[in-house]
Amino acid sequence: MATTAELFEEPFVADEYIERLVWRTPGGGSRGGSEAFDPKRLLEEFVNHIQELQIMDERIQRKVEKLEQQCQKEAKEFAKKVQELQKSNQVAFQHFQELDEHISYVATKVCHLGDQLEGVNTPRQRAVEAQKLMKYFNEFLDGELKSDVFTNSEKIKEAADIIQKLHLIAQELPFDRFSDVKSKIASKYHDLECQLIQEFTSAQKKGEISRMREVAAVLLHFKGYSHCVDVYIKQCQESFVKDQLEECRKSDAEQYLKNLYDLYTRTTNLSSKLMEFNLGTDKQTFLSKLIKSIFISYLENYIEVETGYLKSRSAMILQRYYDSKNHQKRSIGTGGIQDLKERIRQRTNLPLGPSIDTHGETFLSQEVVVNLLQETKQAFERCHRLSDPSDLPRNAFRIFTILVEFLCIEHIDYALETGLAGIPSSDSRNANLYFLDVVHQANTIFHLFDKQFNDHLMPLISSSPKLSECLQKKKEIIEQMEMKLDTGIDRTLNCMIGQMKHILAAEQKKTDFKPEDENNVLIQYTNACVKVCAYVRKQVEKIKNSMDGKNVDTVLMEFGVRFHRLIYEHLQQYSYSCMGGMLAICDVAEYRKCAKDFKIPLVLQLFDTLHALCNLLVVAPDNLKQVCSGEQLANLDKNILHSFVQLRADYRSARLARHFS
């Protein structure tokens, strides 16, 4: 049986179980083993093994039955024990209910007894309190306060409670009999009230919050409790606002203005939040007066501090910039002489005074402009918040005039005057022209200035008479600047034309258009034409980069017209052979390509006409009249046509004169 049990392994698999049994039986192995296969012996082993399994099954079955019987017995015993416990629990619950009822009964008796005791004690306490009040009242009648509660300053809380009650009692007494004692009680009431307020003030200065709370609770029953609130606010003002502002009021205007703006903003925000609570019917007026009482001494002269700081700060920003450039500002001058010079310059376009070499410096700085505008922006924001509504437009205008003074006059106008003085005369050779850089930067600054005018000044003055005054001042400043810009651009264009004249005079030769060997001309256009076109293209690009909008077209048109006039007059100076005339046509064709870069129809039309005129230099005499009556030349004055025909080297031949007459 032990051997049989050994064959059982978990998990049990029948096929594996039989396989193990076969291998353990001698003669039961497969072929090739140490012993030959013996089926009879294997059958005998199977029969014996089946018998052993049957015996094992019976034994196990008996053991299972015994365990089932034992389990049933224990289950019955457990159920019996549970029933007994349930009965015990029911008895305990019943005892608990009886105890609860008894406790409720006793509690009811105790409450009843307490009510009876209170009913007896309350009148007794009232009587004792009334007796004490009568004792204190007699002291006031006698005119001498002997009780410790009135003479000991440490018992001010008890004294306040007593005097408050005596004060209420005194209100009910007839005046004719008790006028003296009523006045004494009222006097003591007032004295204690003042002492309590003084005590509250002292505790607040020391930062004793618990003592403040204690004194405020006592004052709550006095008529002067509102004075306690006033004292608290006053002390807050002295302990915070004063500390924040007084120290830097004279020494640091910038920090003073920042602190004032910050404190006032936070206070008004707090006021807005307090508006949500029930502070009475006229809470808005109350809060406004409260804020005004705190800041009145600082707001009265706010704009003087603001404008003084803004002027000094703006002057410092400008001076720091000029110092960084190692530049000493020239005195532009004002008054009659300067005005006379300005009028002469506007009418004659002549440079007044010696030319100044600025070495390419425009004396305009976007960083400086941004700093000035930022300071002014902050000033406008503070002005909006801190100014009285009736003073707001006037104060905003004062800030605007400071911006105009330092940004427009001291910086932009000075740069324009310096730029104008730096423009060389039109006959200067190899002159460096920087005024267009001034124009470019000035345009950028004008846009920033205009944006701040619209974004920050307009909302402050839009509904006041100051609006028209500001608009007029802005218009005058812009017109003055534009006049100087126009003058500078005009003189710059003159210099450009002067430079081109020098190029033509230096590079153009008479033999270019009347070569000695008509059959040996190898160039497509003259060297003078190449250099002039290169110079013009460079200047056109510079003009486009320096201006914006319609200003580009206006300046390019003026430059293009002057460029055409220069080339027209230049061509009038030479005599042209047939091959020279062809070369002149090639030059004008190159000039016309250059004119296309202007993208101005009028300029291109002028060069188209000039190109057509140059055809008169090479056309056969028999075809002159036909060419002159062509589409591009038909509307021109006959003298102009004749002047070009006269430039032909063969003009004096009778045949040519006859065909053109």
Side-chain angles (χ1 to χ4, degrees):
M1 293 298 292
T3 303
T4 302
E6 292 176 359
L7 294 173
F8 286 96
E9 292 182 1
E10 294 295 339
F12 178 78
V13 180
D15 292 342
E16 294 180 1
Y17 176 78
I18 295 173
E19 185 69 24
R20 289 194 295 273
L21 178 61
V22 170
W23 280 103
R24 292 170 65 93
T25 303
S30 61
R31 297 177 183 179
S34 59
E35 298 182 12
F37 177 71
D38 187 354
K40 290 183 179 181
R41 191 171 180 180
L42 183 60
L43 177 61
E44 182 181 354
E45 181 64 26
F46 276 177
V47 172
N48 292 335
H49 196 74
I50 290 172
Q51 291 176 354
E52 290 177 2
L53 288 173
Q54 289 176 345
I55 295 171
M56 182 184 293
D57 180 63
E58 292 174 357
R59 185 179 298 170
I60 292 173
Q61 187 63 34
R62 287 195 298 271
K63 188 175 182 180
V64 169
E65 291 176 355
K66 183 178 179 181
L67 290 172
E68 287 179 348
Q69 291 176 359
Q70 185 179 354
C71 183
Q72 290 176 358
K73 180 180 178 182
E74 290 180 357
K76 290 180 181 179
E77 291 177 355
F78 180 76
K80 182 178 180 182
K81 189 175 182 179
V82 169
Q83 290 178 353
E84 291 175 355
L85 289 173
Q86 286 179 342
K87 290 180 180 179
S88 299
N89 185 54
Q90 289 178 352
V91 172
F93 182 72
Q94 185 176 1
H95 289 169
F96 176 77
Q97 285 183 328
E98 293 175 355
L99 180 61
D100 184 61
E101 292 175 357
H102 186 65
I103 290 174
S104 299
Y105 175 76
V106 173
T108 303
K109 289 292 186 181
V110 170
C111 290
H112 179 65
L113 180 61
D115 292 340
Q116 290 180 333
L117 289 174
E118 185 179 4
V120 174
N121 189 53
T122 299
R124 180 179 177 277
Q125 286 182 338
R126 289 177 178 173
V128 171
E129 185 176 353
Q131 184 182 15
K132 289 182 179 180
L133 289 175
M134 291 174 64
K135 174 186 173 183
Y136 298 134
F137 188 81
N138 285 333
E139 291 185 11
F140 279 97
L141 280 174
D142 296 339
E144 185 178 359
L145 301 179
K146 301 178 181 180
S147 299
D148 183 59
V149 71
F150 292 126
T151 58
N152 190 347
S153 59
E154 295 182 357
K155 294 185 177 182
I156 188 173
K157 181 178 179 181
E158 292 84 351
D161 180 63
I162 293 170
I163 200 66
Q164 198 270 336
K165 293 176 180 178
L166 288 176
H167 186 265
L168 292 176
I169 293 172
Q171 301 299 316
E172 304 296 328
L173 297 176
F175 181 79
D176 54 348
R177 293 179 56 189
F178 297 97
S179 59
D180 185 50
V181 70
K182 290 178 71 172
S183 64
K184 291 178 181 178
I185 292 174
S187 176
K188 188 64 177 179
Y189 179 93
H190 178 71
D191 291 343
L192 282 175
E193 188 178 61
C194 293
Q195 291 179 34
L196 287 170
I197 293 175
Q198 185 63 36
E199 184 74 16
F200 180 86
T201 304
S202 176
Q204 185 178 3
K205 289 181 178 179
K206 296 177 182 178
E208 298 174 351
I209 305 299
S210 58
R211 180 60 178 164
M212 291 170 61
R213 185 183 296 111
E214 181 181 350
V215 175
V218 176
L219 276 169
L220 182 63
H221 303 290
F222 281 75
K223 293 181 179 180
Y225 178 70
S226 60
H227 294 296
C228 179
V229 178
D230 295 339
V231 167
Y232 177 76
I233 294 173
K234 183 179 180 181
Q235 287 299 314
C236 287
Q237 174 190 357
E238 293 178 355
S239 304
F240 186 73
V241 175
K242 186 175 181 180
D243 292 342
Q244 292 288 320
L245 297 178
E246 289 296 334
E247 184 176 351
C248 58
R249 189 170 188 174
K250 296 181 179 179
S251 60
D252 190 347
E254 179 181 12
Q255 193 61 45
Y256 169 75
L257 289 170
K258 287 181 178 179
N259 290 350
L260 178 60
Y261 176 77
D262 178 63
L263 290 172
Y264 192 80
T265 301
R266 288 162 58 188
T267 304
T268 52
N269 291 341
L270 176 61
S271 174
S272 299
K273 293 179 180 179
L274 291 175
M275 289 286 290
E276 301 174 3
F277 299 95
N278 185 13
L279 301 178
T281 56
D282 199 12
K283 53 187 177 182
Q284 184 173 1
T285 304
F286 168 71
L287 291 173
S288 299
K289 288 182 178 179
L290 201 59
I291 295 173
K292 188 175 182 179
S293 66
I294 296 174
F295 291 96
I296 183 64
S297 62
Y298 304 104
L299 298 181
E300 284 178 341
N301 66 335
Y302 149 72
I303 193 60
E304 303 301 330
V305 179
E306 183 72 80
T307 53
Y309 164 72
L310 188 58
K311 287 180 180 179
S312 62
R313 178 66 177 172
S314 300
M316 185 199 71
I317 291 172
L318 290 177
Q319 189 59 48
R320 186 170 56 192
Y321 167 71
Y322 294 122
D323 289 345
S324 69
K325 298 294 182 181
N326 197 24
H327 174 72
Q328 181 67 36
K329 283 189 71 175
R330 299 184 308 112
S331 177
I332 296 176
T334 56
I337 296 178
Q338 181 64 22
D339 293 341
L340 178 61
K341 287 183 177 181
E342 186 63 30
R343 287 196 296 270
I344 294 173
R345 183 168 60 189
Q346 291 171 12
R347 294 187 180 184
T348 64
N349 197 25
L350 295 174
L352 301 178
S355 176
I356 298 175
D357 188 358
T358 61
H359 303 286
E361 180 60 58
T362 64
F363 292 107
L364 285 174
S365 168
Q366 193 161 346
E367 180 182 357
V368 168
V369 173
V370 169
N371 289 337
L372 290 174
L373 292 176
Q374 181 64 23
E375 292 291 341
T376 311
K377 173 187 174 183
Q378 294 174 357
F380 280 136
E381 290 175 350
R382 289 192 291 263
C383 177
H384 187 200
R385 176 69 69 176
L386 301 176
S387 295
D388 187 88
S390 60
D391 297 330
L392 178 58
R394 182 169 59 255
N395 292 347
F397 179 74
R398 291 181 65 179
I399 294 174
F400 173 66
T401 57
I402 296 174
L403 176 64
V404 169
E405 177 185 355
F406 286 93
L407 175 62
C408 298
I409 298 176
E410 292 295 330
H411 191 54
I412 304 177
D413 189 67
Y414 176 76
L416 292 178
E417 287 288 345
T418 305
L420 286 171
I423 300 175
S425 61
S426 58
D427 58 352
S428 300
R429 295 177 180 269
N430 301 319
N432 292 319
L433 303 176
Y434 299 113
F435 192 79
L436 290 181
D437 296 331
V438 177
V439 174
H440 173 62
Q441 290 183 270
N443 281 334
T444 302
I445 295 172
F446 279 145
H447 289 311
L448 295 175
F449 171 75
D450 192 57
K451 185 176 188 305
Q452 181 163 97
F453 184 91
N454 294 325
D455 293 349
H456 297 97
L457 177 61
M458 284 293 289
L460 307 183
I461 60 172
S462 57
S463 57
S464 74
K466 286 292 179 181
L467 174 60
S468 59
E469 194 172 345
C470 288
L471 290 174
Q472 180 62 29
K473 191 172 188 65
K474 175 187 172 186
K475 180 183 177 183
E476 291 173 357
I477 288 294
I478 291 178
E479 288 178 350
Q480 179 182 349
M481 300 290 178
E482 287 180 344
M483 192 177 299
K484 293 183 179 181
L485 286 172
D486 292 343
T487 301
I489 292 171
D490 187 68
R491 288 172 54 188
T492 299
L493 293 180
N494 285 342
C495 286
M496 292 178 182
I497 299 301
Q499 293 289 92
M500 293 157 63
K501 283 182 179 179
H502 286 306
I503 295 173
L504 292 172
E507 301 295 334
Q508 197 84 74
K509 298 178 177 56
K510 291 185 177 181
T511 56
D512 288 343
F513 302 121
K514 199 173 182 181
E516 296 177 358
D517 187 356
E518 291 283 329
N519 298 320
N520 193 24
V521 179
L522 302 178
I523 59 175
Q524 295 181 348
Y525 29 75
T526 65
N527 189 47
C529 174
V530 173
K531 291 190 175 182
V532 167
C533 287
Y535 180 82
V536 169
R537 288 190 174 96
K538 181 179 178 181
Q539 302 310 315
V540 168
E541 188 65 25
K542 195 167 187 179
I543 291 172
K544 289 181 178 179
N545 293 334
S546 301
M547 301 178 191
D548 56 5
K550 296 181 179 179
N551 293 330
V552 177
D553 294 341
T554 302
V555 175
L556 284 178
M557 180 182 293
E558 182 63 27
F559 182 43
V561 170
R562 296 187 189 188
F563 173 35
H564 168 266
R565 185 184 305 119
L566 172 67
I567 301 301
Y568 177 87
E569 293 175 353
H570 174 71
L571 293 175
Q572 295 279 338
Q573 299 176 14
Y574 298 94
S575 177
Y576 300 88
S577 65
C578 182
M579 186 55 65
M582 293 298 296
L583 192 57
I585 291 175
C586 291
D587 277 3
V588 173
E590 193 64 22
Y591 292 138
R592 185 172 60 177
K593 287 182 183 179
C594 188
K596 288 182 179 179
D597 295 340
F598 287 62
K599 297 182 180 179
I600 303 296
L602 174 61
V603 176
L604 185 59
Q605 181 183 350
L606 289 173
F607 277 93
D608 286 341
T609 303
L610 182 59
H611 187 268
L613 283 171
C614 287
N615 288 331
L616 298 177
L617 301 175
V618 297
V619 70
D622 296 337
N623 297 330
L624 273 175
K625 286 190 176 182
Q626 180 182 353
V627 173
C628 290
S629 60
E631 181 180 355
Q632 291 183 319
L633 301 180
N635 295 327
L636 291 181
D637 185 87
K638 189 174 181 180
N639 293 329
I640 296 176
L641 300 177
H642 191 213
S643 66
F644 261 82
V645 174
Q646 287 179 334
L647 300 177
R648 293 171 61 127
D650 59 352
Y651 172 73
R652 297 189 179 280
S653 67
R655 184 182 175 201
L656 181 62
R658 185 176 63 254
H659 279 88
F660 194 74
S661 60

